[in-house]
Structures are given as structure tokens and as C-alpha cells.
Amino acid sequence: MTKKTRTRFAPSPTGFLHIGGARTALFNWLFARHSGGQFVLRIEDTDQTRSTDESTRAILDAMSWLGLDCDEGPHFQAQRVDLHREMVRKLIAEGKAYYCTCTAEELEAKRKAALAAGKKPKYDGTCRNKDLKKSAGSVVRFRGAQTGITIVEDLIKGNITFNNDELDDLIIERGDGYPTYNFAVVIDDALMNITHVIRGDDHVNNTPRQILLYQALGFAVPKFAHVPMILGSDKARLSKRHGATSVMAYKEMGFLPEALVNYLVRLGWAHGDQEIFSLQELIDLFSLDAVGKSPAVFNPEKLLWLNAHYIKGAKITRLAEEMKPLWPEGAKNADPEFTQKVIADMQPRAKTLLEMTTLADFYFVESINYANEAGQKFLLPEVLQHLKDIAEKLPALPDFSKAGIENFLKTFGEERNIKLKIIAQPLRVALTGKTVSPGIDEVMVTLGKDRVIKRINDAVRFIETRAKA
């Protein structure tokens, strides 16, 4: 009987969930969903000096925001230490592990001597056959195979062969009694019945050691798939100098989770030339066969393009909710119906929600500052009378809709024998204080007749005051 697919994501809570970790989680989640299996979340918090509750919460929040729900967990590795210690004792009893009392200084001297002799700086087995007992500060090492080969049957990279004589007798329990990563991860994956270990290819060199541990403990070896790393535009490993690497930083910058999910899955996975995928499409189509063997390059512009696409297709009510924490103070208490109209104006133009709040700031101010570059350039004496006449005629305009305003401005230009562009930009600056905005008719409808008339009159006074100065 075929085992039910079980994947896992096992972050260490020593910082925020970064882009690389999020992609690993996403690939595991999609693989489990595609195969009708289960996705397990495990927090690997045995590093007691670096693990924090704050980081754990940040990781869980990021997973929740991305929509990567788990079927089991979160499990906490630190709560499983007794299981790990039990397995350490089992290996010692079977002669497959031993106590080592070599000090850090001795190990460093051995490393330097090996390098000087042109050898690989691995542990030389000093304590391997001493049959030592547990003592203060002693560690436990796995008695690794010294001959033969270990083959990693990688579902992405193909078979990778390692000579066992190049592998260390790795430490499986530290002097403080806590398991090391390589040991704890094997025990937890085995006892949680994980069938597929999908992780970054920075773990490739750990895998042969872990396979030997599975075999020594009598556990079935899971299938491994190592995903190539993510690089910055300069082909160096993605880091803060390439921009934000924390998932939640993208939320704070006004990205939608579906845009980030769509983008992350395309970093290393492809389905023909298709760029935009719904979540259900990703679940239906995802396979490890389509994951590339080469590193993926992070392209912020592509992510912005995707985000703009998802903003355009989102419901106004949803965007209004997402934007609540992003608005400046003056906009946070605005009438919700008015705010939704503002969002509708900006929705086709903004690449991020944060950009939308910046572009839309003029809607929420009591008065516009015209003493800026736009005001100096376009609010000139030659447009003064036009603006006065528009402000005078607007109160009687019966149809204050986009079509009604468009017809009003067209008729206004024809009556004065002037082209619309003569008054369009001054009117835009009068209403927004900017040279770029949504269409004037859209802005006027959203602002409402009273605000529009007030702002035009304010601009008139600005021109008159400048003329007198």
C-alpha cells in the first residue's frame, strides 16, 4: 500500500520568515495539496540561545498571511528532546555512537593541521574507539561508515554520490544535552512519517549524513528534493542589499499575498510560458519535475507587475480592509464609502497598496498646498478667469457624474474657443496639487461638488495673491 504523501516545513525561530524559506514552505505545501497528502509545520527551536517566541510568532503570522495552512502542527522540536535523547542512547548501546571529550581548542588544532597537510578538515576519530563514558561537556558522535558510498536520489538534481570516508563522525548530541540539527531532523521526520523532504540545496551536504542516520536507526529513508537557491540581480545569494527579504516586509509595503505566492512559485518552477496562476491552478499543476536545477534570480519589477495585476482584480472592500493600517493618520478616520471611492480611482494605477496611499493623499486633506512646483508652473494669471468661471457654473450642474462632468468641460472649452488641455492641467493642480492623478472627471466625482468648488476657489485665491505680490 502506497504511503500517504507527507511534507513538512521546519523553520528555526531565530528571525523572520524570509523569501527563501517562504518558497520552500510553498513548494512543500503545493506538493502535499497536489498529491492529496498532508503538510506538517514544525518549529525547530532546539537552539535555546537564538530561538525566540517573537520569531516563532513572526513565522506563524507570515505563513497565515500567505495562506499556507498546515494539516498538523505547529510541532515544537524542543518539546521532543526526550525522544531525541532516547535515540542517542539507542545508538550508543548498539555501538553506533560514542562519547567524545575533545575540546574546541583541540578540534581547531586538528582542523588546521589537516588543512596544512592538504587533507579535508574532518574529525580524525580520536575518541572513536576509546569507549568513553559521559562526562562534563562531553558530546556524542555518530560512528559513521568509513568505506563505501552513499547515494542521494534527489528528485530535482538527480543522483548525487558521496564517498563515506569523506563524511565526519558528526556530533549528534551537544555538551548541553541538546541534539544537533542533523540528528533531531532525522528523528522528527522519521517519527512524523514525512515521505518527502523538500528543502534548499544548502542542505545537500547534510543529506548523506542524514541518510546514514536513518539507516543506523532502522527508519525508512524519505525522498529528497533540493531546491536551488534564490539569487539577487547580481547573481549573489539573495540578501538585504537586494531589497527586503522578510515576507512580512512585503505586506508592510503593500503587496498582496496572492501576488507574492504567484511570484515565489515561479522562482524556479514553470508551466510553459504562463506567468499568472490562481492558487487552484498551482495546486493542480505543481510537480517537482518542473522545478529547475539552476538558481532563480529575484526580480523586484516582475513582482511589482504581478502585484499590480492582483490589485486591479481585487474587490474594493478587500483592498479597503488591507489598506487600513497603511493610510496616513488623516485618512484613517475618513468615511468608509468615500475611502472606497478613492480606492476605485487608484486601483488601476497603483503597483502596491502603499503607493496607492501616497498617490491618494490629496483626497483626504482639508486644503491643498499650491506653493509647490506644480502650483508655480500651472496656476498662472492666464487661467484665472477660466477657473473662476468653472467654479461659478458648477453649483448649477445637474449631472455631477463622469459623463456629466466630461460634457460640461467639453462645452466650456467650445464656448471659449479653447482646447481642453489649456484648462485641464491647471484644474488638475487646483484639485490635487499634483500634475499626475486619475482622470479629472473621476477625481471630481469622488471629491464631490462641494470639495471641488472649494478647491478651485482656493486655487483662484492663490493666483490672485501671487499676482499682487
Side-chain angles (χ1 to χ4, degrees):
M1 182 176 165
T2 305
K3 265 188 173 183
K4 188 170 191 138
T5 297
R6 280 172 65 86
T7 67
R8 52 70 162 176
F9 178 54
S12 297
T14 55
F16 299 109
L17 180 62
H18 55 80
I19 290 296
R23 185 188 63 168
T24 298
L26 176 58
F27 280 11
N28 276 281
W29 187 87
L30 286 172
F31 189 79
R33 294 288 172 265
H34 176 79
S35 57
Q38 295 171 319
F39 174 63
V40 179
L41 178 60
R42 185 174 72 235
I43 305 296
E44 300 199 330
D45 56 346
T46 51
D47 186 340
Q48 296 294 291
T49 57
R50 298 175 63 221
S51 298
T52 67
D53 291 341
E54 181 187 10
S55 292
T56 298
R57 175 47 51 197
I59 290 168
L60 296 178
D61 286 347
M63 294 283 287
S64 175
W65 183 65
L66 290 172
L68 304 182
D69 57 316
C70 61
D71 301 296
E72 195 178 294
H75 297 289
F76 291 88
Q77 196 172 58
Q79 296 172 4
R80 302 169 60 82
V81 169
D82 287 344
L83 280 172
H84 306 141
R85 289 171 180 158
E86 182 185 326
M87 292 298 171
V88 170
R89 305 287 90 78
K90 169 181 163 67
L91 290 182
I92 291 172
E94 294 174 356
K96 296 174 181 176
Y98 59 91
Y99 287 103
C100 170
T101 56
C102 294
T103 65
E105 293 76 20
E106 289 169 339
L107 293 173
E108 179 61 17
K110 293 174 190 291
R111 189 186 74 83
K112 288 180 178 177
L115 288 172
K119 296 178 181 178
K120 190 169 183 176
K122 67 171 201 166
Y123 181 63
D124 65 358
T126 296
C127 297
R128 199 173 217 265
N129 298 310
K130 288 184 176 180
D131 196 24
L132 299 172
K133 302 302 179 186
K134 183 176 176 64
S135 60
S138 63
V139 301
V140 179
R141 289 184 181 273
F142 174 60
R143 194 185 300 276
Q146 295 184 306
T147 60
I149 60 172
T150 297
I151 299 175
V152 178
E153 297 176 355
D154 196 288
L155 297 175
I156 292 173
K157 296 177 177 294
N159 287 0
I160 309 170
T161 301
F162 294 85
N163 291 319
N164 290 337
D165 62 2
E166 293 188 2
L167 304 178
D168 274 307
D169 278 4
L170 77 156
I171 296 172
I172 59 175
E173 186 177 276
R174 297 190 295 262
D176 61 4
Y178 277 88
T180 57
Y181 162 77
N182 274 306
F183 188 69
V185 75
V186 167
I187 304 305
D188 290 341
D189 283 347
L191 296 182
M192 291 179 183
N193 298 311
I194 301 303
T195 60
H196 294 75
V197 175
I198 305 167
R199 58 190 180 186
D201 64 2
D202 52 333
H203 286 287
V204 165
N205 288 333
N206 290 326
T207 306
R209 296 173 169 85
Q210 292 173 9
I211 288 174
L212 291 173
L213 283 169
Y214 278 105
Q215 294 169 343
L217 290 159
F219 293 138
V221 179
K223 296 182 184 301
F224 290 94
H226 291 95
V227 182
M229 67 177 63
I230 301 173
L231 304 179
S233 55
D234 57 359
K235 304 300 171 69
R237 186 165 186 167
L238 191 68
S239 66
K240 287 182 179 177
R241 73 174 183 275
H242 299 112
T245 58
S246 160
V247 166
M248 294 307 270
Y250 284 91
K251 179 183 181 183
E252 291 163 9
M253 291 189 293
F255 285 81
L256 295 178
E258 56 266 43
L260 192 56
V261 164
N262 193 149
Y263 183 69
L264 287 177
V265 81
R266 286 288 287 110
L267 278 177
W269 176 88
H271 180 72
D273 295 328
Q274 188 172 341
E275 292 287 353
I276 296 170
F277 298 85
S278 69
L279 194 57
Q280 191 57 52
E281 282 181 303
L282 291 176
I283 291 170
D284 293 342
L285 297 171
F286 186 81
S287 76
L288 293 174
D289 295 339
V291 175
K293 294 179 172 62
S294 302
V297 176
F298 190 85
N299 182 346
E301 289 303 314
K302 176 65 74 68
L303 175 55
L304 278 170
W305 173 78
L306 272 172
N307 201 54
H309 166 81
Y310 282 104
I311 286 175
K312 285 184 180 74
K315 290 183 177 179
I316 301 292
T317 50
R318 187 267 177 106
L319 293 179
E321 193 62 32
E322 295 271 4
M323 291 175 68
K324 277 182 178 178
L326 302 176
W327 287 115
E329 284 306 315
K332 284 183 178 177
N333 297 320
D335 175 63
E337 188 177 338
F338 176 68
T339 300
Q340 288 187 25
K341 289 179 182 178
V342 171
I343 292 171
D345 284 354
M346 292 298 171
Q347 191 176 16
R349 296 166 175 84
K351 292 180 180 178
T352 71
L353 301 184
L354 194 59
E355 180 189 29
M356 197 184 294
T357 65
T358 303
L359 294 174
D361 57 0
F362 67 87
Y363 282 104
F364 299 98
V365 296
E366 280 299 314
S367 57
I368 300 292
N369 174 25
Y370 298 118
N372 59 12
E373 186 179 345
Q376 301 286 345
K377 184 175 180 180
F378 290 101
L379 297 182
L380 303 173
E382 49 263 40
V383 300
L384 178 62
Q385 193 58 50
H386 296 318
L387 291 177
K388 278 184 174 180
D389 292 345
I390 290 172
E392 188 178 316
K393 287 177 174 293
L394 279 178
L397 182 64
D399 181 12
F400 203 76
S401 66
K402 282 178 62 175
I405 292 169
E406 186 179 347
N407 186 59
F408 165 76
L409 292 175
K410 181 182 176 185
T411 303
F412 183 89
E414 289 172 351
E415 287 174 351
R416 282 153 183 73
N417 196 28
I418 58 172
K419 292 182 178 179
L420 186 60
K421 66 179 183 180
I422 299 296
I423 55 169
Q425 203 64 335
L427 185 56
R428 185 189 309 280
V429 173
L431 296 174
T432 71
K434 303 181 182 188
T435 56
V436 178
S437 75
I440 295 171
D441 48 0
E442 295 175 68
V443 171
M444 291 175 73
V445 170
T446 299
L447 284 173
K449 191 181 285 188
D450 290 346
R451 282 194 192 94
V452 167
I453 293 168
K454 177 186 181 300
R455 291 188 183 189
I456 296 173
N457 285 330
D458 286 347
V460 165
R461 281 191 290 276
F462 172 77
I463 296 171
E464 289 175 336
T465 302
R466 278 183 69 201
K468 293 175 184 176

